[in-house]
Amino acid sequence: MAWSTINFIPTNICLRITQDTGSGACGFNSICSFGTDQIPKCGCPFGYSIIDPNDRMSGCKPNFVAQKCDGEARGMNHFRFTDMPNTDWPLSDYAYFRVVTEDWCRQNCLDDCFCAVAIYRD
C-alpha cells in the first residue's frame, strides 16, 4: 500500500494567495509558477534576486539602486522592458489605463519615475 494524492486545496496556490499589496505565495516582487507536481516554483524577474536563498518563498529584492525622482534628467537608455508572458502582479497597480496601445503604455512607464513594471494586455 502507498499514499496517493486525490485533491489539492487550493488547486493552484499561485493564483489563490494574494494580499492587498500584491505579495503572493512566493513573496514580494516574485514570480510564482505552478508545475504538475502541485508545488509552486518561485523565481525572480530580471534584475532581481531571491532575498533568502534558504527560503524560496521569501520574495525578491532588486539588484540595482532605485532611481531618484528629484528632477534629474533620466535617459531612456538606462531602462529596458523585458517581455514576461503570462505574468501579473495583481493588486499592485497604482494606475490603470484602458484602451491604450502598448507603445503608449511603455512610454507612460518611462515618463513615470516610480514605474517599475507595466502590465499590458491585448
Side-chain angles (χ1 to χ4, degrees):
M1 293 188 72
W3 288 95
S4 63
T5 304
I6 296 174
N7 196 3
F8 290 94
I9 298 174
T11 55
N12 184 340
I13 198 167
C14 290
L15 298 176
R16 299 295 299 190
I17 293 182
T18 58
Q19 295 181 3
D20 294 346
T21 55
S23 176
C26 292
F28 288 102
N29 300 319
S30 64
I31 300 170
C32 183
S33 59
F34 199 63
T36 56
D37 59 359
Q38 306 295 314
I39 297 173
K41 309 288 188 261
C42 301
C44 299
F46 176 81
Y48 288 73
S49 60
I50 193 94
I51 292 172
D52 180 357
N54 297 317
D55 179 6
R56 64 189 175 101
M57 296 179 169
S58 63
C60 301
K61 62 183 177 184
N63 297 334
F64 54 88
V65 177
Q67 69 176 340
K68 296 179 182 177
C69 297
D70 60 2
E72 292 178 10
R74 297 184 323 268
M76 287 187 204
N77 58 342
H78 296 212
F79 304 97
R80 73 178 198 184
F81 288 93
T82 302
D83 290 333
M84 300 183 334
N86 303 313
T87 305
D88 194 359
W89 282 275
L91 308 177
S92 295
D93 307 343
Y94 71 84
Y96 179 80
F97 304 98
R98 300 186 74 134
V99 193
V100 298
T101 65
E102 183 176 356
D103 289 336
W104 185 92
C105 187
R106 287 175 185 263
Q107 188 60 50
N108 194 14
C109 187
L110 288 170
D111 292 341
D112 181 349
C113 70
F114 292 110
C115 184
V117 64
I119 298 169
Y120 180 81
R121 291 186 181 89
D122 289 332

